[in-house]
Amino acid sequence: MKRIFLLMLGITLIAGYALAQELEYFHVYKPKDGMTADEIMRIKYFNKYTLFAHDVQYTGKAYFIDKSGSIRERSTARKRINLGRASDGIAYKDLTVFTGPAQVKGLANLAWSYINPDRDQDVWLWLPSLKRIRKVSASQADDSFLGADFTVEDISTRRFEDETYKLVKEENFTGYTSDFMKKTYSVNTPCFVIEATPKRANWYYSRRLVWIDKNYGVNIYEEKYDANGKKFMTLFRGYEIFNVDGKEYPIQMFLEGKDLRSGHCTDIINETVKIDQGLSEDLFTERALSQSRW
Amino acid sequence: MRRFLWVFLLFLLVGFCYAQDKFDFSGYLKNETSFRIEGLNNDLTKFKNIIELSGQYKIKDDELVFFAKTKYWYDAMYDFRDEYDSGQHYQGHIQRADWLRDCYLDYIKGPWFLRLGKQQVAWGQSDGIAVLDRVNPFDLTEYWLQDFVDLRIPLWMANINYSPKLNSNLQILIIPDFEQSTAAYPYAPFVFYSTQRFENWRKGQGGVDLNIHYPGKQLENSTFGLQWSDRIGDLDYTLNYLNGFYYSVRNYTIYVSGPPQGGPTSFWKVDRSFKRWKMYGASMNKTFTNPGPLQGITLRGDFAYYDDEPMYWGDPIIASSSGIKRLDNIFWLLGVDKYVFTNWLVSFQYAEYILQNSKPGATTARRNYFFNPYTYGPQDPLEHIFSIKISTDFLHERLKPEILWSFTDDNQGRLSPKVTYELKDNIWLTLGIHYFYGSEFDSNGQFRDQSQAYMNVKYTF
């Protein structure tokens, strides 16, 4: 009897611990002093994927700047709906449509991401050159995201479970200066500095140093290091705080990635943001893709 | 003249709407140049200049939207090369109503989506092989080398969609319009062997009475289509049905003898007619997203049952059709895609085209073979078709190489490597080769002397 009681107690404690690990959708979480690296990173991932909001819409531009200063441009309109639905395991759905330049105008990408971190995304493309929908395999995590200086996992697929974490220090971030924007961001922002090590062996980076804003739990800056311990990539994210129904939503408005080896740089600027507009899930279906005109 | 009035009116509309910020507009200018690389005739085979303009006007937000796309092209190769003079009238510039590529009104409200007007509809999951993609006719004047958006000939239709639940859709197509699939005209670089052979034969006869019987313009001659799309678990599927006129014309040739005692002389009578047929089909796709050995693989499939497909039959030795026979054929395809080595996408497709009478004894001692309609060569009762495409990108997606190899089990096919480079946001350069091989009686083999190197320059705005 005693054994059964102890077993029951153990199961209850384990279940309670597991539940505590999962943050509830549509809530706002902020880090606190004394939190572990794991707890801070859970909040960071929660905020990265805007799981505090029901839906988010962006329009913006991406700039690809090579070493010589030559600039290419893409403009996009993006929508996300967060679901966190246990019945089909869907965490959120994203729809990205290229609105320019004309060569890629109309190209659209619909991706469904799942709660299970080991599960790949389901991805459909609308291809203007075929005027049809094409189901495609999810891009590999270490592939460049749309030709940018960050990878697919940097933007859309890396999960909390992919790395192990260690709190290195707490400090005020000295600020990040963007040559492209000619502006300095996040000066003296109090941060946790966390070292993230990938669980995969022989991955394209050996560790990341991530600066997490203590006030809002978002990663504002990170450095990636290769197997030889050499820094090869930096990523800066600029956030704005949106007040929605009395809740503070940190929304990423600016992203700059630099490849220190090639000198190439990518900037993504969100020009407009709409939050919690009551988007219908019908907008994130194959049928919605098939309504494309370009 | 009338078409330009339309364009003029369109631009007036553009000017009016632009001010209201409801208008969106884009287009491109493009030059396509190709050279024959086979044999001694490594000469110019295309110098095509294209302009395309597209615009949409939001009449009522996203609920009611008008969209139109126009296109005009001129192939100056027919001016430069005397030997192609005969084809210039049909091949040198855009034909008839083809300049209007899209012209429709979209209405989206709740579960309803209506698209009314001139448009194209793509069914199925296959790449480059039209198993279910039979709603619109095809423009094969450059064989299957163009993008599918340019290959399909748009039709006026009502495209009615209703979504009874999330991720499902019922599509009803009512197509009163009719256009036939077009092929290259005699003496053009990509003229089908059968077309050129017929032309040679026609010129050798004293008189040929050629009649083309188009479907009458009654509602009952419309094409009707139905597609149900849904999702079971993480498998997407469609069920398809199409009932209409087959877009490729079929010849029926008879010899009319003159009376032995004088009167009208003997002559050949060729009747070309369009036959009604039906297609029943289904398609599926599934990506293996869960951890396991198949994770990352996408499976695609099309299945079609062609009911009463009009086919030719006859003696391939003399390559002359003895008539038309209606067959119930099956065409199915399975495709597999996977990313390997980070950003190399490998795509493989296997298809079988099975003629109804593929069982032994279908062909007789009298050589009653079914014909490949492109070449009048003997058609295999069971055709195995393969395609492999490998694509990747370099320089931050600025440089995109790709290679496509499509072939059948008859040792004939096409190898098409190409590379696209983005010079600037609005200037794109493509270099490539189409290499054909095989017997002159096979679909690709008939162009074995037309292998080409090409260059496209596209300026977008």
Side-chain angles (χ1 to χ4, degrees), chain B residues 306-327:
Chain B
Y306 299 154
D307 187 1
D308 268 353
E309 183 176 17
M311 310 271 304
Y312 288 128
W313 62 277
D315 184 346
I317 300 296
I318 58 171
S320 171
S321 160
S322 300
I324 306 164
K325 188 163 176 63
R326 314 293 292 275
L327 300 186

Side-chain angles (χ1 to χ4, degrees), chain B residues 132-200:
Chain B
L132 285 175
D133 193 352
R134 307 295 287 263
V135 174
N136 291 81
F138 287 108
D139 172 6
L140 302 182
T141 48
E142 293 178 38
Y143 193 44
W144 292 91
L145 303 183
Q146 300 188 80
D147 283 337
F148 261 64
V149 71
D150 298 315
L151 273 172
R152 291 189 206 99
I153 298 173
L155 294 174
W156 294 93
M157 67 176 88
N159 178 355
I160 302 159
N161 295 266
Y162 177 74
S163 174
K165 61 187 174 77
L166 188 68
N167 300 320
S168 66
N169 187 57
L170 177 68
Q171 180 183 50
I172 299 169
L173 303 172
I174 303 166
I175 312 172
D177 191 16
F178 179 84
E179 294 279 346
Q180 64 173 313
S181 288
T182 53
Y185 288 85
Y187 310 105
F190 284 102
V191 59
F192 289 132
Y193 188 80
S194 57
T195 308
Q196 187 63 55
R197 195 160 177 144
F198 177 82
E199 174 68 5
N200 296 344

Side-chain angles (χ1 to χ4, degrees), chain B residues 101-116:
Chain B
R101 298 294 300 170
D102 287 303
C103 182
Y104 53 76
L105 195 65
D106 275 357
Y107 176 72
I108 303 167
K109 184 83 173 173
W112 292 96
F113 164 49
L114 310 181
R115 179 165 286 178
L116 308 173

Side-chain angles (χ1 to χ4, degrees), chain B residues 133-278:
Chain B
D133 193 352
R134 307 295 287 263
V135 174
N136 291 81
F138 287 108
D139 172 6
L140 302 182
T141 48
E142 293 178 38
Y143 193 44
W144 292 91
L145 303 183
Q146 300 188 80
D147 283 337
F148 261 64
V149 71
D150 298 315
L151 273 172
R152 291 189 206 99
I153 298 173
L155 294 174
W156 294 93
M157 67 176 88
N159 178 355
I160 302 159
N161 295 266
Y162 177 74
S163 174
K165 61 187 174 77
L166 188 68
N167 300 320
S168 66
N169 187 57
L170 177 68
Q171 180 183 50
I172 299 169
L173 303 172
I174 303 166
I175 312 172
D177 191 16
F178 179 84
E179 294 279 346
Q180 64 173 313
S181 288
T182 53
Y185 288 85
Y187 310 105
F190 284 102
V191 59
F192 289 132
Y193 188 80
S194 57
T195 308
Q196 187 63 55
R197 195 160 177 144
F198 177 82
E199 174 68 5
N200 296 344
W201 169 83
R202 188 187 65 78
K203 286 170 77 173
Q205 304 304 313
V208 175
D209 181 18
L210 179 63
N211 303 289
I212 304 176
H213 305 282
Y214 290 98
K217 291 191 180 300
Q218 290 95 23
L219 187 64
E220 61 264 31
N221 286 337
S222 298
T223 294
F224 299 96
L226 205 61
Q227 177 177 262
W228 168 252
S229 319
D230 203 354
R231 190 171 167 85
I232 302 174
D234 52 4
L235 179 130
D236 297 320
Y237 74 92
T238 68
L239 300 173
N240 305 69
Y241 171 72
L242 189 74
N243 183 338
F245 279 93
Y246 201 73
Y247 293 124
S248 295
V249 71
R250 293 296 185 230
N251 288 352
Y252 185 71
T253 308
I254 55 169
Y255 185 70
V256 181
S257 300
Q261 291 86 26
T265 53
S266 305
F267 65 96
W268 288 94
K269 187 169 189 295
V270 179
D271 280 320
R272 290 186 164 174
S273 60
F274 297 88
K275 306 290 183 189
R276 231 182 149 87
W277 76 311
K278 292 190 278 292

